[in-house]
Amino acid sequence: MDTSKTLRLIALSASVMSLSAPLYAFANTATQNPASSTWTGTLPIAAHGPFQRVYMPQNAPSAANRDGFPREWTSAYANARHNAAFPVGNDAPKWLRQGVGWNFAEARAWPLSDKIPFGNGVYGEREALPVQTQFMGNALGVTAVDGTIYGESDDMFAYAVNARTGQLIWRTSPVQNNLMGDPVVAGRSVYLSAGSVSFNFAHVVKYAQTGKTSRGEDESFNGVISLNRNTGKFQWMFLTKGEAMPTPAYAHGKLYVSTGAGNIFAINAKDGKKIWKTHVGGIANMSDPAVYDGRVYVSMSVVPYIYCLNAKTGKVLWKQGIKGAVNTGLGDVAPAVANGIVVQDTVVDKRVKNGHKTVNTTVQAMSAKTGKILWSHNMGRGPLPPAFKGGMPMIHGGVVYVGTPVNSVYQARNLKTGKLLWTWSVPDAGPAGAGRGAATYYDGALYVSTGPYVYALNSVTGTELGKHYVGGRFGIVNPTIVGGTIYLGNSWDWINALPVDAVNPHYKG
């Protein structure tokens, strides 16, 4: 045993204890209006217990190291286009232009070098890979605001980490539920989404009998949580019956939330109070809302539809389907919106071939104003993927980029016409399929995180420019790029940072 290392760990533990205690203690100061779903005050988390908030202010970024970063983060994948790319100027600090590399271990970090997921011997690798994403690691990517990287993990903790050093600023676990979203940051707050993929057995029986059910209801405590962005201190929670796995969208002082009970809410981002509620039915899995031009776009599964709502009133303006959609497919994928066009994909046309379930993937473009279908194309048939079945679309420069784990490809299509520009097959896709996360367009190249790798592609031809092995696995993860650094969330319960030129040798920061 390395005695000096042990002593350093003991000293660090003591330091963390002294800094954080007694930030939370058992208390009865929380309040909830019986007619309200919003919980405010203090949560009953024991001081010195394993779930207390840890706050290490000495690790916060300096004022100089906040420059060049976004000031807020309003949506999953940064914006309604799903392109999380932020160039910096030539006067930015050298570290920001050239990039940094570090790996931050979260609470249940599984060795990045271990290629076999936990549970492999019981579930088999095909199923164990998504189970590890859903219950141990980071389902989505991370948020980069003012020199801080924010991450939500299915280990039930949220984290704030210094973007330059990878050092922990705060860690908190406000409720005993999975945190599967992409933290939203606006004003002085960071917003988390709580909910798991689970179904109560009674709800499974209900679905078998009626074809309707609610995901996450009676499983745990679901909803949207507001924290102080600098300290991680709990501010309020808007509780929902069904899971709130999808990342909420922020606009004009409101948060838009979709749930596993088929409800869509607008709530006040300042105090968590409900503004409106619209029940559309179905289930929101990981279909994060998108806000564009005064409207909210949400997709649901069971029954599968895309909805457009008035952002002020919650009135449904239109709904649209995708022909042959498998019932869970639309709820897995968030719509991307740009240039007056909504893009959505889903698995369709389930068939049994040679004793195996197969599906195709349809990507469809619609008018953001009317819902009219502009074009629809299939991406190719393959095995029905386990768990998350689609790929998050991304729009940049009149082109939509979208992947699918069905046949593990990424495609580029003209946004207006749907014309296929190129197809790239993910190498060594693995038994669960690859291509779930949104791609990121940055400085002329396309960046994709899938499997244990991050790839750089020529955005015009789809030709591979380079790749970098990180380890672990990337699920529905988009590369978040600021200056010369790529930031990622990992299914093995890590937050990763690596220089852009480690992936793309042609990049000149």
Side-chain angles (χ1 to χ4, degrees):
M1 178 182 289
D2 186 340
T3 305
S4 63
K5 183 177 180 180
T6 302
L7 290 174
R8 288 197 300 272
L9 288 172
I10 292 171
L12 176 60
S13 298
S15 172
V16 171
M17 186 67 74
S18 64
L19 281 167
S20 56
L23 293 175
Y24 277 163
F26 285 116
N28 294 313
T29 59
T31 59
Q32 185 176 25
N33 184 325
S36 171
S37 298
T38 305
W39 182 274
T40 60
T42 307
L43 290 174
I45 298 175
H48 311 299
F51 294 101
Q52 74 163 29
R53 176 171 57 103
V54 172
Y55 177 40
M56 306 182 76
Q58 71 274 24
N59 292 337
S62 65
N65 287 335
R66 295 173 186 171
D67 291 339
F69 279 78
R71 297 302 184 191
E72 62 178 10
W73 199 273
T74 60
S75 178
Y77 317 101
N79 45 54
R81 304 185 315 278
H82 294 174
N83 192 40
F86 303 92
V88 298
N90 293 329
D91 57 345
K94 184 178 180 180
W95 75 269
L96 187 55
R97 288 183 285 109
Q98 296 186 349
V100 295
W102 46 258
N103 294 314
F104 175 80
E106 297 172 308
R108 295 188 179 277
W110 189 250
L112 286 170
S113 59
D114 197 332
K115 298 180 180 180
I116 305 300
F118 183 76
N120 182 71
V122 174
Y123 297 118
E125 188 176 5
R126 176 178 165 82
E127 296 293 335
L129 285 167
V131 168
Q132 187 151 328
T133 300
Q134 291 169 336
F135 294 100
M136 181 184 291
N138 298 62
L140 265 62
V142 295
T143 294
V145 173
D146 285 341
T148 299
I149 303 302
Y150 298 91
E152 294 183 40
S153 173
D154 289 331
D155 66 15
M156 300 189 183
F157 284 93
Y159 304 85
V161 178
N162 186 302
R164 181 179 183 180
T165 67
Q167 293 177 307
L168 178 67
I169 301 168
W170 56 256
R171 181 195 72 201
T172 187
S173 181
V175 293
Q176 57 270 43
N177 207 340
N178 303 122
L179 303 175
M180 301 190 74
D182 182 0
V184 168
V185 180
R188 298 180 179 179
S189 300
V190 55
Y191 304 96
L192 315 175
S193 50
S196 94
V197 300
S198 304
F199 287 91
N200 180 288
F201 181 71
H203 292 282
V204 176
V205 173
K206 179 182 176 182
Y207 179 72
Q209 295 173 342
T210 68
K212 298 178 181 180
T213 189
S214 176
R215 190 174 204 168
E217 185 176 348
D218 301 328
E219 278 293 319
S220 189
F221 303 108
N222 307 296
V224 174
I225 301 161
S226 172
L227 308 174
N228 181 287
R229 63 185 279 186
N230 295 320
T231 67
K233 187 175 181 180
F234 177 82
Q235 297 176 150
W236 52 258
M237 180 175 182
F238 178 77
L239 290 154
T240 60
K241 264 191 176 182
E243 46 76 11
M245 290 191 295
T247 299
Y250 172 88
H252 307 299
K254 300 181 182 68
L255 291 167
Y256 299 93
V257 184
S258 57
T259 76
N263 295 317
I264 303 168
F265 297 91
I267 62 176
N268 189 307
K270 185 176 180 179
D271 56 21
K273 292 182 180 179
K274 182 178 70 176
I275 297 171
W276 54 253
K277 170 187 173 181
T278 300
H279 180 75
V280 296
I283 294 172
N285 300 331
M286 295 295 286
S287 47
D288 319 285
V291 179
Y292 175 86
D293 196 22
R295 299 183 176 202
V296 183
Y297 299 88
V298 180
S299 51
M300 294 279 187
S301 61
V302 194
V303 178
Y305 280 109
I306 306 144
Y307 295 89
C308 171
L309 293 85
N310 182 296
K312 288 184 178 181
T313 66
K315 179 183 178 181
V316 176
L317 302 176
W318 57 258
K319 71 176 184 178
Q320 182 60 269
I322 294 181
K323 186 178 180 179
V326 176
N327 63 358
T328 61
L330 274 172
D332 277 341
V333 176
V337 193
N339 302 344
I341 297 175
V342 182
V343 178
Q344 176 80 42
D345 66 270
T346 182
V347 288
V348 299
D349 190 22
K350 185 161 60 176
R351 300 181 187 179
V352 176
K353 286 196 171 184
N354 300 321
H356 299 285
K357 295 178 181 178
T358 69
V359 289
N360 211 317
T361 302
T362 293
V363 56
Q364 180 169 293
M366 295 149 283
S367 163
K369 186 175 182 179
T370 66
K372 179 183 177 182
I373 298 173
L374 304 177
W375 53 261
S376 182
H377 292 288
N378 289 337
M379 296 181 68
R381 181 166 291 276
L384 177 69
F388 191 92
K389 297 174 177 61
M392 290 293 178
M394 184 275 284
I395 300 170
H396 176 81
V399 178
V400 57
Y401 303 92
V402 62
T404 174
V406 170
N407 54 345
S408 300
V409 301
Y410 275 84
Q411 291 185 346
R413 291 182 177 272
N414 182 286
L415 178 61
K416 290 185 178 180
T417 66
K419 179 183 177 181
L420 179 65
L421 304 178
W422 52 257
T423 298
W424 175 71
S425 296
V426 181
D428 303 318
R436 291 171 170 85
T440 302
Y441 179 94
Y442 185 68
D443 196 26
L446 203 68
Y447 295 85
V448 172
S449 50
T450 190
Y453 288 93
V454 181
Y455 296 89
L457 309 177
N458 183 304
S459 62
V460 177
T461 65
T463 304
E464 186 178 313
L465 300 174
K467 65 180 181 180
H468 183 83
Y469 179 86
V470 177
R473 177 186 188 247
F474 299 113
I476 323 167
V477 174
N478 62 308
T480 293
I481 306 178
V482 183
T485 305
I486 301 172
Y487 298 99
L488 304 146
N490 200 296
S491 293
W492 266 221
D493 213 31
W494 295 77
I495 297 174
N496 311 111
L498 65 152
V500 173
D501 61 13
V503 181
N504 181 5
H506 305 280
Y507 174 77
K508 304 297 181 185

